Amino acid sequence: MTRLLVLGGTAEGRALAAGLSTEPDVEVVSSLAGRVREPRLPGGEVRIGGFGGADGLRDWLRDNRIDVVVDATHPFAARITGNAVAATRALGVPLAVLRRAAWTPIPGDRWTEVDSLDDAAAALPELGSRVFLTIGRQGVDRFAGVDAWFLVRAIDPPDGAMPARATLLLDRGPFDVGAEMSLMREHSVEVLVTKNSGGPLTEAKLTAARELGLPVLMVQRPPVPVGVTVTADVAAAADWVRGQTRQ
Ligand code: NAP
């Protein structure tokens, strides 16, 4: 029996846990950070909450006799990925990172790619004064000092400072293109700010911005640490786990 830890918090993490938990020789434990108040839970065993840094994760892996780890966390969750790399290297436990492909611009898109939320905030005033901010709950405070009106959309309310002029919209994808276009029109949005999360669930806003001719400030992903196995989708991650199981 192979014990697999899926570091989750994403649709891919849930799909991987669901797929592998039906296999007779794999025991799946999923881990969530506990950020979202009502998380979508993966099937099978689930634990919730931080491990206490890389050392805490290392100890947890050892105490729970984990043989294999897939880091299926969000592409911007860089700290847990770094911790997973350090903890698995310390124990010699195999690790693969499941990273969905990034979005790429197509003809008609008006993207400005920036390296960080701070760079996005600095670039904003020139691109528009009515901003659709869809970066999730974390990091909204980086925009608190920007002189513009914001439509802030997130699953749960941001915990830091909000921009002085803002409307908060609590909502969770998937979203469709028609509804995204209506929302942007209704609020006279002039620019969209988003992270390059990739994946189909929240992609409609990019199509809507293209259709409306709106500029997009696209925050680039942090890099995956060097030397780590990367799988691009759930099927490839599952195959990788099966390969580890056979070894
Ligand atoms: P992060 O900055 O990389 O991680 C911060 C800390 O949260 C980690 O050091 C760890 O605490 C804990 N943590 C993160 N993911 C965990 C997991 N799956 N299981 C247990 N502990 C976890 O991560 P984040 O950006 O705050 O994201 C938190 C979670 O939300 C992730 O699971 C991610 O998949 C999901 N998520 C993030 C985003 C985003 O834009 N960042 C979007 C959608 C979903 P300890 O050091 O105490 O272990």
Side-chain angles (χ1 to χ4, degrees), residues 9 17 48 115 134 171 184 188 210 220 226 229-230:
I48 298 181
D115 288 332
T134 64
D171 205 355
M184 292 183 198
S188 307
R210 185 187 314 126
Q220 299 297 90
V226 286
T229 300
V230 179

Short mmCIF file of all heavy atoms in Angstrom, two decimals, residues 9 17 48 115 134 171 184 188 210 220 226 229-230:
data_model
loop_
_atom_site.label_atom_id
_atom_site.label_comp_id
_atom_site.label_asym_id
_atom_site.label_seq_id
_atom_site.Cartn_x
_atom_site.Cartn_y
_atom_site.Cartn_z
N GLY A 9 -6.24 22.27 -2.41
CA GLY A 9 -6.77 23.64 -2.45
C GLY A 9 -7.10 24.06 -3.86
O GLY A 9 -7.33 25.24 -4.12
N ALA A 17 -7.17 13.35 -6.03
CA ALA A 17 -7.54 12.56 -4.85
C ALA A 17 -8.72 11.63 -5.17
O ALA A 17 -8.71 10.45 -4.80
CB ALA A 17 -7.90 13.49 -3.69
N ILE A 48 -6.79 19.48 7.62
CA ILE A 48 -6.88 20.92 7.34
C ILE A 48 -5.99 21.70 8.29
O ILE A 48 -6.00 21.45 9.50
CB ILE A 48 -8.35 21.41 7.45
CG1 ILE A 48 -9.21 20.69 6.40
CG2 ILE A 48 -8.44 22.92 7.25
CD1 ILE A 48 -10.67 21.11 6.39
N ASP A 115 5.46 41.35 -12.77
CA ASP A 115 6.03 40.28 -11.95
C ASP A 115 5.38 40.15 -10.57
O ASP A 115 5.61 39.15 -9.89
CB ASP A 115 7.54 40.52 -11.76
CG ASP A 115 8.30 40.25 -13.04
OD1 ASP A 115 7.81 39.43 -13.84
OD2 ASP A 115 9.36 40.87 -13.25
N THR A 134 -9.34 40.76 -9.56
CA THR A 134 -9.70 39.35 -9.32
C THR A 134 -8.42 38.57 -9.01
O THR A 134 -7.97 37.74 -9.80
CB THR A 134 -10.39 38.72 -10.55
OG1 THR A 134 -9.46 38.71 -11.63
CG2 THR A 134 -11.62 39.49 -10.96
N ASP A 171 -17.91 35.87 -4.55
CA ASP A 171 -18.41 34.91 -5.52
C ASP A 171 -17.30 33.90 -5.82
O ASP A 171 -16.12 34.18 -5.59
CB ASP A 171 -18.83 35.63 -6.81
CG ASP A 171 -19.88 34.85 -7.60
OD1 ASP A 171 -20.20 33.72 -7.21
OD2 ASP A 171 -20.35 35.38 -8.61
N MET A 184 -18.73 43.44 -16.20
CA MET A 184 -17.77 44.50 -16.54
C MET A 184 -18.48 45.72 -17.11
O MET A 184 -18.12 46.87 -16.81
CB MET A 184 -16.73 43.95 -17.54
CG MET A 184 -15.81 42.90 -16.92
SD MET A 184 -14.54 42.37 -18.09
CE MET A 184 -14.00 40.83 -17.35
N SER A 188 -18.85 49.56 -15.54
CA SER A 188 -18.00 50.41 -16.40
C SER A 188 -16.51 50.15 -16.15
O SER A 188 -15.71 51.09 -16.01
CB SER A 188 -18.30 51.90 -16.16
OG SER A 188 -19.67 52.14 -16.32
N ARG A 210 -11.23 40.64 -23.63
CA ARG A 210 -10.86 40.70 -25.06
C ARG A 210 -12.04 41.19 -25.88
O ARG A 210 -11.90 42.09 -26.73
CB ARG A 210 -10.43 39.29 -25.51
CG ARG A 210 -9.91 39.22 -26.94
CD ARG A 210 -9.66 37.76 -27.37
NE ARG A 210 -8.95 37.03 -26.34
CZ ARG A 210 -9.38 35.88 -25.81
NH1 ARG A 210 -10.51 35.32 -26.21
NH2 ARG A 210 -8.69 35.28 -24.86
N GLN A 220 2.49 37.60 -13.32
CA GLN A 220 3.14 36.34 -13.68
C GLN A 220 3.31 35.44 -12.46
O GLN A 220 3.45 35.91 -11.34
CB GLN A 220 4.52 36.63 -14.29
CG GLN A 220 4.46 37.46 -15.55
CD GLN A 220 3.71 36.74 -16.66
OE1 GLN A 220 2.50 36.87 -16.78
NE2 GLN A 220 4.41 35.96 -17.43
N VAL A 226 13.87 24.75 -8.95
CA VAL A 226 14.59 23.95 -9.95
C VAL A 226 14.75 22.51 -9.47
O VAL A 226 14.84 22.23 -8.27
CB VAL A 226 16.00 24.54 -10.26
CG1 VAL A 226 15.88 25.77 -11.12
CG2 VAL A 226 16.77 24.80 -9.00
N THR A 229 10.15 17.57 -10.28
CA THR A 229 9.32 16.97 -11.32
C THR A 229 8.01 17.75 -11.43
O THR A 229 7.34 17.96 -10.42
CB THR A 229 8.98 15.50 -10.94
OG1 THR A 229 10.20 14.79 -10.83
CG2 THR A 229 8.08 14.85 -11.98
N VAL A 230 7.68 18.16 -12.66
CA VAL A 230 6.43 18.92 -12.85
C VAL A 230 5.52 18.12 -13.78
O VAL A 230 5.96 17.65 -14.83
CB VAL A 230 6.71 20.31 -13.47
CG1 VAL A 230 5.40 21.07 -13.68
CG2 VAL A 230 7.64 21.11 -12.57
#
